[in-house]
């Protein structure tokens, strides 16, 4: 089923259910608010196998137990999926592209962002994946060809593992402490041909296995961003007796 009308409210609101809810094979388009709004449910809510396009926010999660999976297209939204609250999972999202701010944005905690194809050649997102919350897992995603960073991290205790970030207009992975990132664990990522650095992770933890090549910024991978030392050379002066020259 396809719902295609310009709306100033959510196309689907899933709210106050007492048991599990499954939403499958629904295609939503053209809401100035959300395609799906999920909040205050007692059981697992699953959204699967639907195209989600042309909304302000494609899926807005304000619940603690939501699974968004097997989405064939997530495009032309401001934010494809916004994960607030805690404890939900996004898994296997194809064609997450042309979302002006980000394909996935995580402001809550304890979420999982897995296997999202965020960006495509000639059809970029603003950024691929943005994480500002704490203790989230970002793993096995392909965040490439975006205008900004492939993956942007702030917050505390996030895990960034086994992602591919290539040919982005910013950094491949940007987890700089100046962004507010701390205790970020970064491992087994491939960061190639980005316009800035492959992995900029000042003050974070290198768990190993990260590789980078062909990035414009140098060094391609950096975890220790201490300011460069400055050498000051003293200039000796000689005062000649009976002379005004120093």
């Amino acid at each position: 089923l396809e719902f295609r009308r310009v709306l100033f409210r959510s196309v689907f609101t899933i709210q106050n259910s007492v048991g599990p809810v499954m939403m499958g094979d629904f295609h939503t388009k053209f809401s100035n608010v959300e395609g799906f709004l999920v909040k205050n449910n007692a059981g697992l809510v699953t959204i699967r196998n639907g195209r989600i396009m042309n909304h302000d926010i494609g899926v807005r999660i304000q619940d603690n137990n939501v699974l968004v999976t097997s989405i064939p297209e997530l495009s032309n939204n401001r934010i494809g999926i916004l994960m607030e609250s805690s404890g939900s999972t996004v898994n296997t999202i194809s064609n997450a592209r042309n979302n002006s701010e980000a394909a996935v944005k995580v402001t809550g905690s304890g979420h999982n962002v897995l296997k999202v194809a965020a960006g495509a050649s000639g059809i970029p997102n603003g950024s691929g994946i943005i994480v500002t919350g704490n203790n989230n897992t970002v793993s096995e995603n392909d965040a490439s060809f975006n205008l900004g960073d492939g993956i942007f991290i702030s917050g505390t205790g996030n895990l960034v593992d086994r992602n591919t970030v290539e040919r982005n207009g910013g950094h491949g992975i940007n987890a700089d402490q100046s962004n507010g990132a701390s205790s970020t664990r970064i491992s087994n990522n491939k960061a190639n041909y980005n316009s800035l650095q492959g992995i900029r992770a000042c003050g974070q933890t290198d768990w190993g296995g990260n590789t980078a090549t062909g990035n414009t910024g140098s060094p391609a991978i950096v975890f220790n961003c201490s300011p460069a030392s400055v050498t000051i050379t003293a200039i000796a002066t000689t005062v000649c007796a009976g002379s005004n020259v120093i």
Side-chain angles (χ1 to χ4, degrees):
L1 294 177
E2 179 175 307
F3 290 79
R4 182 173 180 170
R5 179 181 297 179
V6 177
L7 298 174
F8 294 91
R9 56 180 175 80
S10 304
V11 177
F12 290 105
T13 299
I14 306 169
Q15 182 177 4
N16 299 328
S17 67
V18 296
V21 175
M22 168 74 76
M23 295 287 291
D25 300 299
F26 286 94
H27 308 308
T28 65
K29 295 181 181 180
F30 299 109
S31 167
N32 286 342
V33 191
E34 300 99 357
F36 290 89
L37 173 62
V38 186
K39 61 181 182 178
N40 300 327
N41 297 283
L44 173 66
V45 174
T46 301
I47 299 171
R48 61 178 298 127
N49 198 34
R51 298 179 186 276
I52 303 169
M53 298 174 281
N54 300 98
H55 305 291
D56 182 55
I57 300 172
V59 180
R60 186 170 191 173
I61 299 172
Q62 297 180 325
D63 223 332
N64 295 330
N65 193 11
V66 179
L67 172 62
V68 181
T69 187
S70 302
I71 301 300
E73 184 172 354
L74 180 70
S75 65
N76 301 302
N77 308 285
R78 180 173 64 87
I79 299 173
I81 299 173
L82 176 61
M83 305 178 77
E84 302 173 90
S85 196
S86 63
S88 293
T89 296
V90 168
N91 189 346
T92 313
I93 310 296
S94 305
N95 299 311
R97 57 197 186 185
N98 206 33
N99 299 286
S100 61
E101 184 174 340
V104 179
K105 184 173 183 178
V106 182
T107 61
S109 300
H111 294 299
N112 301 299
V113 181
L114 312 172
K115 299 181 180 179
V116 176
S121 180
I123 320 174
N125 301 290
S127 293
I129 297 167
I130 296 175
V131 178
T132 62
N134 304 325
N135 302 313
N136 300 286
T137 296
V138 180
S139 183
E140 298 183 85
N141 303 285
D142 187 343
S144 301
F145 297 100
N146 297 290
L147 295 176
D149 298 323
I151 297 173
F152 174 93
I153 302 290
S154 64
T156 299
N158 295 295
L159 172 63
V160 183
D161 178 58
R162 291 177 290 164
N163 301 284
T164 298
V165 285
E166 297 184 337
R167 301 185 188 278
N168 294 289
H171 300 287
I173 296 172
N174 183 356
D176 199 323
Q177 59 192 359
S178 67
N179 303 334
S182 64
S183 301
T184 309
R185 295 156 292 162
I186 301 175
S187 57
N188 301 307
N189 300 284
K190 298 178 182 179
N192 303 322
Y193 303 106
N194 296 285
S195 294
L196 297 177
Q197 290 169 292
I199 299 174
R200 182 170 181 83
C202 303
Q204 312 311 308
T205 304
D206 183 0
W207 274 27
N210 299 295
T211 61
T213 188
N215 299 281
T216 302
S218 179
I221 298 175
V222 60
F223 284 86
N224 183 0
C225 305
S226 300
S229 60
V230 177
T231 301
I232 300 175
T233 303
I235 301 175
T237 60
T238 302
V239 180
C240 300
S243 172
N244 294 323
V245 178
I246 296 177

